[in-house]
């Protein structure tokens, strides 16, 4: 029975790490999920019947059950499963030895499963939970985000500490009676150092990822600022050219008026009037910098033949800084453009609503199909997931910075897929 309990304990640890660490979702096919559970139970029954804990059986059931349970490419699941088996084996070994020393008072040899291994899995799970809660979730950087070099460093570091720790364990087992408390101190300090080093390495990997993300965000902001500047420069140049020719236009109108060509004068005035309308901001929101962003994306949408419209107007400015407003609206509207251009009837609608205490900004865009929103968040559709998919993460971070709230939903209206982002920013909360 203990073999089956052992397998179940490991099974839940693996599911926890992959789902919450790598952000993979379970398969929708219940038959495959059931096959995953059956594989795990069958391996436990096999070990119980033959009274063995065969590493081959352990490895095969672990990898097969993970591949059956989660949705992802097979080779990725196999690679992650193999690395996960190895890494959790290291941490479980630390936990097992800790239980033996603390509760039994010495190391116990033998390969068979003992009663102390089940409490050891609880310690291992607690370590993984702390990693998830204090490092991954807190920084919104997960194991799937950090580079493969950092993942490899964790595996190598774990291997080194396991080799070192085995020597410490042998020292304790042979000398605890002679050295007493000193032997216990050496053991406990070494295992604390092993766990701390894992946290430290993973923390550094997360900091590197956050630094890369900030650099990309800054680069993205600079690119958008340059594009908006180029657009404004183009508009300004057109205005200067128009003003330069204005004297000539007035001269033509004067000659037409002298010769009493009334109809020609009207036509010429209409032509000039239409020209000056192209220089005006077509969209006015009530916030000067938001006007620039909206008009710029309206210009991009027009180039891609996307129906773009803004409704509503603000009586006060949003109070969001230039950098943050570009990060917020730039990322949302850029995603909307990229998604709607693939739709049959591309359309983007921006709605501005001002209440007494809050400003609401709602962006809706048509998509080719319903958008995959896992855990309430948009997943990137681009192949290079390492360098994409953080646009809306940055936008959400900006909303939180201004004490606001957001909501994302993918719905169908009149047979068409719609993706909708809703933002609420309090008026009284300013950074």
């Amino acid at each position: 029975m203990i073999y089956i309990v052992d397998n179940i304990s490991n099974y839940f640890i693996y599911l926890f790490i992959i789902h919450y660490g790598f952000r993979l979702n379970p398969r929708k096919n219940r038959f495959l999920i059931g096959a995953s559970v059956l594989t795990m139970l069958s391996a436990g029954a096999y070990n119980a019947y033959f009274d063995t804990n065969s590493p081959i059986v352990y490895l095969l059931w672990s990898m097969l059950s993970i591949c059956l349970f989660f949705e992802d490419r097979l080779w990725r699941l196999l690679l992650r499963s193999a690395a996960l088996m190895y890494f959790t084996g290291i941490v479980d070994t630390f936990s097992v030895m800790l239980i033996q020393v603390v509760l039994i008072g010495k190391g116990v040899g033998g390969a068979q499963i003992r009663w102390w291994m089940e409490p050891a899995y609880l310690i291992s799970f607690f370590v993984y939970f702390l990693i998830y809660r204090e490092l991954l979730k807190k920084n919104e950087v997960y194991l799937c985000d950090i580079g493969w070099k950092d993942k490899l460093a964790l595996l190598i570091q774990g291997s080194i500490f396991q080799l070192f720790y085995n020597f410490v364990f042998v020292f304790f087992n042979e000398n605890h009676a002679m050295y007493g408390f000193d032997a216990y101190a050496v053991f406990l300090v070494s295992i604390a150092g092993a766990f701390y080093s894992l946290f430290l390495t993973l923390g550094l990997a997360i900091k590197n990822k956050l630094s890369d993300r900030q650099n990309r965000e800054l680069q993205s902001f600079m690119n958008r600022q340059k594009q908006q500047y180029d657009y404004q420069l183009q508009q300004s140049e057109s205005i200067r050219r128009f003003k330069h020719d204005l004297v000539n236009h007035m001269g033509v109108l004067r000659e037409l008026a002298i010769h009493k060509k009334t109809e020609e004068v009207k036509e010429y005035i209409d032509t000039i009037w239409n020209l000056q309308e192209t220089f005006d901001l077509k969209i006015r929101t009530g916030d000067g910098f938001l006007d620039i962003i909206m008009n710029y994306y309206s210009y991009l949408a027009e180039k891609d033949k996307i129906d773009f419209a803004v409704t509503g107007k603000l009586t006060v400015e949003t109070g969001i800084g230039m950098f943050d407003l570009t990060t917020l609206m730039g990322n949302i509207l850029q995603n909307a453009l990229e998604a709607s251009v693939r739709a049959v009837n591309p359309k983007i609608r921006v709605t501005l609503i001002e209440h007494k205490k809050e400003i609401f900004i709602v962006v809706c865009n048509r998509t080719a199909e319903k958008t995959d929103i896992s855990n309430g968040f948009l997943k990137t559709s681009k192949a290079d997931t390492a360098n994409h998919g953080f646009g809306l993460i940055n936008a959400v971070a900006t909303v939180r910075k201004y004490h606001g709230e957001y909501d994302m939903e993918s719905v169908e209206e009149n047979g068409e897929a719609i993706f909708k982002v809703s933002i609420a920013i309090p008026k009284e909360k300013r950074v």
Side-chain angles (χ1 to χ4, degrees):
M1 184 64 186
I2 195 169
Y3 287 98
I4 297 176
V5 175
D6 177 67
N7 277 24
I8 292 173
S9 302
N10 275 290
Y11 185 67
F12 280 113
I13 288 176
Y14 300 149
L15 297 189
F16 176 86
I17 296 173
I18 291 187
H19 180 63
Y20 290 104
F22 288 97
R23 314 302 283 173
L24 295 188
N25 291 319
R27 295 184 184 276
K28 297 176 182 177
N29 189 324
R30 292 184 179 178
F31 173 79
L32 294 177
I33 293 178
S36 172
V37 176
L38 184 62
T39 300
M40 175 268 299
L41 293 175
S42 299
Y46 175 91
N47 287 340
Y49 181 78
F50 290 100
D51 193 23
T52 180
N53 190 26
S54 171
I56 298 298
V57 174
Y58 175 78
L59 184 67
L60 287 178
W61 81 252
S62 300
M63 295 179 69
L64 180 58
S65 63
I66 288 173
C67 292
L68 288 169
F69 195 90
F70 290 102
E71 289 183 347
D72 200 6
R73 294 179 184 177
L74 183 60
W75 69 270
R76 286 183 179 175
L77 285 170
L78 288 171
L79 189 62
R80 285 172 179 169
S81 302
L84 186 63
M85 302 307 107
Y86 183 70
F87 186 74
T88 54
I90 293 171
V91 178
D92 289 349
T93 299
F94 292 166
S95 303
V96 166
M97 291 181 175
L98 181 64
I99 289 291
Q100 290 184 36
V101 169
V102 172
L103 297 184
I104 300 176
K106 63 177 181 176
V108 179
Q112 293 190 0
I113 295 176
R114 306 282 185 176
W115 64 265
W116 58 80
M117 297 190 76
E118 303 312 320
Y121 290 136
L122 293 177
I123 294 176
S124 300
F125 178 78
F126 179 68
V127 171
Y128 300 130
F129 180 76
L130 282 181
I131 289 174
Y132 167 71
R133 185 177 180 274
E134 298 301 321
L135 293 178
L136 303 180
K137 186 178 180 182
K138 183 177 287 187
N139 295 287
E140 293 189 356
V141 176
Y142 299 94
L143 294 174
C144 53
D145 298 324
I146 66 175
W148 66 269
K149 292 181 180 178
D150 292 315
K151 293 173 187 171
L152 185 60
L154 283 168
L155 292 176
I156 294 174
Q157 184 188 46
S159 303
I160 294 171
F161 267 97
Q162 183 163 21
L163 291 172
F164 166 76
Y165 189 71
N166 285 337
F167 286 110
V168 174
F169 185 70
V170 170
F171 167 81
F172 177 87
N173 197 33
E174 294 178 355
N175 296 282
H176 73 281
M178 181 187 303
Y179 291 103
F181 180 77
D182 289 345
Y184 280 90
V186 169
F187 178 86
L188 294 173
V189 168
S190 66
I191 198 170
F195 281 127
Y196 176 75
S197 67
L198 292 175
F199 273 82
L200 187 62
T201 303
L202 187 56
L204 290 173
I206 289 172
K207 285 184 178 178
N208 290 336
K209 185 63 184 179
L210 288 172
S211 178
D212 290 343
R213 183 181 290 175
Q214 288 170 353
N215 289 337
R216 291 194 189 103
E217 180 183 353
L218 182 59
Q219 186 63 47
S220 175
F221 170 78
M222 296 299 291
N223 288 338
R224 287 197 176 94
Q225 285 289 88
K226 184 180 182 303
Q227 290 165 359
Q228 291 172 17
Y229 172 77
D230 290 342
Y231 171 70
Q232 290 296 103
L233 191 63
Q234 178 185 341
Q235 293 293 91
S236 179
E237 217 173 295
S238 300
I239 292 171
R240 286 199 302 272
R241 287 201 305 270
F242 175 76
K243 286 183 176 178
H244 179 271
D245 293 338
L246 194 58
V247 174
N248 297 328
H249 294 318
M250 293 300 101
V252 171
L253 283 171
R254 181 176 179 278
E255 289 302 314
L256 290 173
I258 288 171
H259 293 88
K260 297 183 179 180
K261 295 183 178 181
T262 309
E263 291 302 317
E264 286 83 346
V265 169
K266 288 179 180 179
E267 288 178 12
Y268 205 91
I269 289 173
D270 287 341
T271 302
I272 295 173
W273 189 264
N274 291 333
L275 277 175
Q276 71 87 25
E277 276 189 345
T278 62
F279 309 137
D280 252 353
L281 290 176
K282 297 178 181 178
I283 301 171
R284 295 190 179 275
T285 63
D287 184 303
F289 197 71
L290 186 59
D291 289 348
I292 295 173
I293 296 173
M294 290 299 176
N295 280 277
Y296 171 66
Y297 279 97
S298 175
Y299 161 75
L300 293 182
E302 189 176 345
K303 282 174 50 176
D304 289 333
K305 298 180 180 177
I306 298 173
D307 184 6
F308 186 98
V310 178
T311 57
K313 195 171 183 179
L314 306 176
T315 60
V316 295
E317 293 188 346
T318 61
I320 302 175
M322 180 178 68
F323 180 92
D324 293 329
L325 192 57
T326 299
T327 299
L328 176 63
M329 297 310 301
N331 280 311
I332 292 175
L333 291 174
Q334 187 64 42
N335 282 344
L337 281 175
E338 292 174 0
S340 61
V341 77
R342 295 192 292 267
V344 178
N345 299 309
K347 180 184 286 188
I348 299 174
R349 290 288 179 268
V350 181
T351 305
L352 304 173
I353 304 170
E354 184 180 343
H355 284 185
K356 186 177 181 180
K357 294 184 178 180
E358 291 179 307
I359 292 173
F360 293 90
I361 303 174
V362 182
V363 180
C364 298
N365 63 273
R366 287 178 179 167
T367 57
E369 56 187 12
K370 279 196 74 173
T371 309
D372 179 17
I373 303 179
S374 300
N375 299 321
F377 208 81
L378 176 66
K379 298 177 78 174
T380 181
S381 59
K382 296 174 183 174
D384 185 9
T385 56
N387 295 316
H388 295 96
F390 51 84
L392 284 181
I393 293 176
N394 294 337
V396 167
T398 303
V399 172
R400 289 173 178 166
K401 178 180 177 181
Y402 287 85
H403 313 284
E405 297 179 350
Y406 75 95
D407 181 63
M408 300 182 193
E409 57 180 328
S410 181
V411 297
E412 282 192 9
E413 293 180 3
N414 301 321
E416 292 180 311
I418 304 290
F419 183 69
K420 181 178 178 182
V421 180
S422 303
I423 299 164
I425 302 291
K427 285 183 179 180
E428 66 274 13
K429 297 277 187 176
R430 294 292 183 260
V431 176

